[in-house]
């Protein structure tokens, strides 16, 4: 077993260790000469023989000259309490992102603020800049240094913790050079890519490599869909662009896997440009991200399940069954209204093949609420299709699923779930514990700013005890309609505490120590 540490492409916070078992005992032998040394007894009918002319290693000089002026350096003054216990920024599964982010943390004399350095790139002539959420998360001040050395103050237009993206705005004195987003779905493993950053404002850094894989789920966020590259990604390059040879951005460099305390070993991860485009467009228009909602709980299909469900055999013998098995359907959800049921297997979403439940979650979340989609599924061994309108995850309300609430017309930013027997056991609570569980907190929302975390149990709104998401939502709306501060009694790690949110959505009396909300992870 070999330990690997996770390092930020912009560094801040504590590093964590990641262990993976290494495969041993396998060897691939290449004989001298083309396809020489094949044993006489071997069946050569399936030997893979690459065809086509040999290609020279490409020259990136002209490409770098063209794109480099749009790559910027970003400096953030970050609250030290937002870094406590943090390995990076995305924070999936209730904890920090275990892969380091290549960004640089500069030591400061003040115990209150930390200076962090990352990269970004300009996407419009009027000064919109894309970077990672973890580069600016918790920042009290952000500045952008252009390629020519000019430093401008930046405003955080919006950020999305679930995809680790943020949008900034600077006000330039003249039009800025900018770069366009390409189509990440067109990128193929083996294709040359170039990672560019500007970590210290001293001039850009450039590294090149190939795409190793697409659609990587590293189990840290609900919408992981990374492009894996072997281009070395240097420290300070968080938020920098990943280019193909046509000069289009196909990804945003975000994380690397590295030996303990070391640098890149050729395993880097970039957010696909198709995700960036969707998130940034929403941040630019509204400052937050709205995601699609289907209303199903789905699980992976085992070979035994596939046989029991009369699913067709995989096209390739031995391949795992594809699709997402519907375990349950939320009441009054788009899925229920369309007639989807438990034991259905979703195989296609709007013309895109579904291989796993995670794949389905990524596809659904990327669709704008209100969009009409076609879903292909198998029921009792028979392939069927259904058309339905995707809902809004932020406003989905169900006693058996998630619930959200609004504050005086402003989104509070929490998703709630019932506190059932399984949830009590998972949280280590006694079976007589009551309340509703915070299953998600929207980045930058009033709830996020107040210090509410996933896993918190809301036991009372004001002086009234709550036991269902619907009851909690109703009490929140009533309190805010009366323009009164919202007081929540929360159970966290076995301790009770109060959090107050004013009628305008700002927090008041939020906990300040680490056990009571100093960490502001969104996931």
């Amino acid at each position: 077993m070999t330990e690997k540490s996770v390092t930020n492409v912009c560094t801040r916070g504590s590093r964590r260790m990641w262990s993976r078992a290494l495969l041993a005992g396998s060897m691939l032998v290449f004989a001298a000469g083309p396809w020489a040394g094949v044993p006489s007894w071997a069946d050569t009918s399936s030997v893979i023989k690459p065809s086509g002319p040999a290609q020279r290693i490409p020259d990136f000089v002209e490409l770098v000259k063209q794109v480099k002026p749009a790559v910027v350096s970003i400096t953030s003054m970050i609250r030290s309490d937002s870094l406590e216990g943090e390995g990076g920024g995305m924070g999936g599964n209730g904890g920090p992102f275990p892969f380091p982010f290549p960004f640089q943390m500069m030591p400061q004399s003040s115990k209150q603020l930390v200076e962090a350095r990352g990269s970004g790139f300009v996407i419009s002539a009027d000064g919109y800049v894309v970077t990672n959420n973890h580069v600016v998360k918790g920042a009290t001040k952000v500045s952008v240094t252009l390629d020519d050395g000019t430093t401008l103050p930046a405003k955080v237009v919006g950020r999305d913790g679930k995809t680790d993206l943020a949008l900034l705005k600077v006000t330039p004195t003249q039009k800025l050079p900018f770069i366009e987003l390409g189509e990440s779905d067109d990128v193929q493993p083996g294709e040359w890519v170039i990672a560019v950053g500007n970590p210290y404002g001293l001039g850009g850094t450039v590294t090149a490599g190939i795409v190793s894989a697409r659609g990587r789920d590293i189990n840290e966020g609900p919408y992981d869909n990374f492009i894996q590259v072997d281009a070395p990604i240097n420290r300070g390059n968080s938020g920098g662009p990943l280019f193909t040879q046509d000069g289009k951005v196909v990804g945003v460099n975000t994380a690397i896997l590295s030996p303990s305390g070391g640098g890149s070993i050729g395993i880097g991860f970039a957010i696909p440009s198709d995700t960036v485009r969707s998130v940034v467009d929403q941040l630019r228009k509204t400052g937050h991200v709205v995601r699609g909602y289907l209303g199903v709980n789905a699980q992976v299909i085992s070979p035994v399940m596939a046989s029991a469900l009369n699913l067709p055999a995989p096209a390739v013998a031995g391949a795992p069954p594809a699709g997402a098995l519907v375990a349950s359907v939320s009441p009054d959800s788009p899925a229920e209204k369309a007639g989807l049921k438990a034991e259905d297997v979703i195989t296609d979403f709007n013309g895109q093949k579904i291989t796993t439940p995670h794949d389905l979650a990524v596809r659904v979340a990327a669709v704008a609420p209100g969009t009409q989609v076609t879903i292909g599924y198998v029921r009792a061994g028979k392939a069927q299709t259904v058309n339905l309108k995707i809902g809004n995850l932020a406003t989905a309300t169900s006693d058996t699923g998630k619930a959200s609430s609004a504050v005086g017309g402003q989104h509070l930013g929490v998703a709630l779930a019932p506190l059932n027997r399984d949830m009590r056991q998972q949280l280590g609570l006694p079976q007589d514990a009551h309340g509703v569980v915070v299953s998600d907190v929207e980045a930058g929302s009033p709830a996020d700013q107040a210090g509410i975390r996933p896993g918190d149990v809301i036991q009372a709104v004001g002086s009234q005890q709550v036991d269902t998401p619907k009851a909690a939502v109703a009490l929140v709306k009533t309190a805010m309609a009366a323009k009164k501060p919202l007081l929540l009694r929360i159970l966290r790690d076995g301790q009770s505490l109060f959090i107050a949110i004013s009628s305008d959505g700002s927090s008041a009396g939020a906990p300040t120590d680490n056990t009571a909300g100093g960490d502001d992870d969104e996931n």
Side-chain angles (χ1 to χ4, degrees):
M1 187 74 72
T2 299
E3 286 191 324
K4 304 287 184 182
S5 80
V6 256
T7 304
N8 288 335
V9 252
C10 57
T11 26
R12 66 173 173 181
S14 63
R15 295 191 178 94
R16 294 196 171 191
M17 308 302 294
W18 179 57
S19 298
R20 288 289 187 268
L22 297 181
L23 296 178
S26 297
M27 181 178 296
L28 182 61
V29 179
F30 290 95
W35 307 104
V38 178
S40 59
W41 45 262
D43 179 3
T44 61
S45 61
S46 60
V47 172
I48 301 173
K49 298 181 179 181
S51 60
Q55 296 185 4
R56 299 178 59 187
I57 295 177
D59 186 333
F60 305 118
V61 174
E62 292 304 317
L63 171 61
V64 172
K65 287 181 180 178
Q66 294 171 24
V67 302
K68 184 171 169 288
V71 181
V72 301
S73 176
I74 297 173
T75 302
S76 301
M77 301 305 297
I78 299 176
R79 300 192 314 268
S80 58
D81 63 347
S82 72
L83 301 176
E84 293 184 20
E86 183 177 337
M90 287 178 67
N93 302 325
F97 191 39
F99 289 80
F101 295 131
F103 84 125
Q104 186 70 22
M105 181 178 66
M106 307 300 289
Q108 297 290 308
S109 58
S110 170
K111 296 182 180 180
Q112 301 302 316
L113 294 176
V114 172
E115 182 180 284
R117 299 285 182 88
S119 300
F121 56 97
V122 183
I123 59 169
S124 67
D126 57 348
Y128 281 97
V129 176
V130 172
T131 188
N132 283 139
N133 172 60
H134 71 259
V135 174
V136 297
K137 175 184 174 184
T140 59
K141 180 181 179 182
V142 181
S143 61
V144 169
T145 301
L146 306 179
D147 185 59
D148 63 4
T150 302
T151 298
L152 300 171
K155 173 187 176 182
V156 179
V157 177
R159 57 190 185 90
D160 180 44
K162 289 182 174 60
T163 56
D164 198 27
L165 290 169
L167 182 66
L168 313 181
K169 179 67 170 67
V170 298
T171 304
T173 57
Q174 57 186 1
K175 291 184 177 181
L176 298 179
F178 65 94
I179 44 186
E180 298 178 341
L181 295 174
E183 298 293 336
S184 54
D185 273 354
D186 294 339
V187 175
Q188 299 297 323
E191 181 175 349
W192 280 99
V193 286
I194 307 95
V196 183
N198 193 345
Y200 310 109
L202 301 175
T205 64
V206 181
T207 55
I210 62 171
V211 173
S212 302
R214 288 173 40 186
R216 286 298 199 211
D217 174 13
I218 53 180
N219 298 315
E220 281 305 320
Y223 311 119
D224 284 5
N225 190 32
F226 293 105
I227 299 173
Q228 181 182 329
V229 299
D230 72 350
I233 300 176
N234 299 321
R235 290 185 180 274
N237 281 8
S238 273
L242 183 74
F243 291 98
T244 49
Q245 294 182 70
D246 61 359
K248 298 291 182 65
V249 179
V250 292
V252 175
N253 303 317
T254 297
I256 59 175
L257 175 64
S258 68
S260 303
S264 171
I265 59 171
I267 301 178
F269 300 94
I271 304 164
S273 59
D274 291 339
T275 300
V276 177
R277 182 181 294 105
S278 173
V279 170
V280 166
D281 284 349
Q282 293 192 60
L283 293 178
R284 190 169 183 172
K285 293 175 182 176
T286 66
H288 64 272
V289 177
V290 177
R291 291 184 167 86
Y293 169 70
L294 180 59
V296 300
N297 291 321
Q299 66 184 75
V300 174
I301 306 169
S302 70
V304 175
M305 287 180 184
S307 178
L309 294 167
N310 295 319
L311 297 180
V316 179
L325 173 60
V326 176
S328 64
V329 179
S330 299
D332 201 35
S333 65
E336 184 189 57
K337 293 175 182 177
L340 289 175
K341 299 178 180 180
E343 294 189 17
D344 288 344
V345 176
I346 298 176
T347 58
D348 183 279
F349 182 83
N350 234 17
Q352 298 169 319
K353 296 298 181 183
I354 298 300
T355 57
T356 65
H358 179 79
D359 192 21
L360 177 63
V362 170
R363 298 296 183 186
V364 171
V367 175
T371 302
Q372 194 80 16
V373 301
T374 300
I375 292 180
Y377 64 99
V378 176
R379 175 180 294 172
K382 182 180 179 181
Q384 303 185 46
T385 61
V386 65
N387 296 319
L388 58 84
K389 185 179 292 186
I390 290 295
N392 187 334
L393 180 61
T395 58
T397 303
S398 168
D399 272 346
T400 58
K402 293 184 177 180
S404 63
S405 55
V407 179
Q410 183 178 16
H411 186 56
L412 180 59
V414 293
L416 306 177
L419 186 60
N420 54 30
R421 176 183 292 272
D422 291 341
M423 188 62 71
R424 289 186 181 94
Q425 185 175 5
Q426 182 178 338
L427 295 174
L429 299 175
Q431 287 304 314
D432 59 352
H434 69 86
V436 293
V437 181
V438 176
S439 59
D440 202 3
V441 179
E442 181 180 334
S445 66
D448 181 31
Q449 295 175 24
I452 297 175
R453 305 176 185 173
D456 286 346
V457 177
I458 299 177
Q459 295 189 302
V461 178
S463 61
Q464 298 189 51
Q465 178 177 309
V466 294
D467 291 298
T468 66
K470 187 174 292 185
V473 171
L475 289 172
V476 168
K477 289 182 177 179
T478 299
M480 303 317 291
K483 298 187 181 302
K484 295 181 180 179
L486 176 64
L487 183 65
L488 303 176
R489 188 173 81 243
I490 288 177
L491 182 65
R492 176 184 297 166
D493 297 330
Q495 298 183 352
S496 293
L497 57 94
F498 288 95
I499 291 179
I501 302 176
S502 66
S503 58
D504 62 1
S506 61
S507 61
T512 56
D513 66 1
N514 191 47
T515 60
D519 188 339
D520 67 346
D521 279 340
E522 291 87 351
N523 293 342

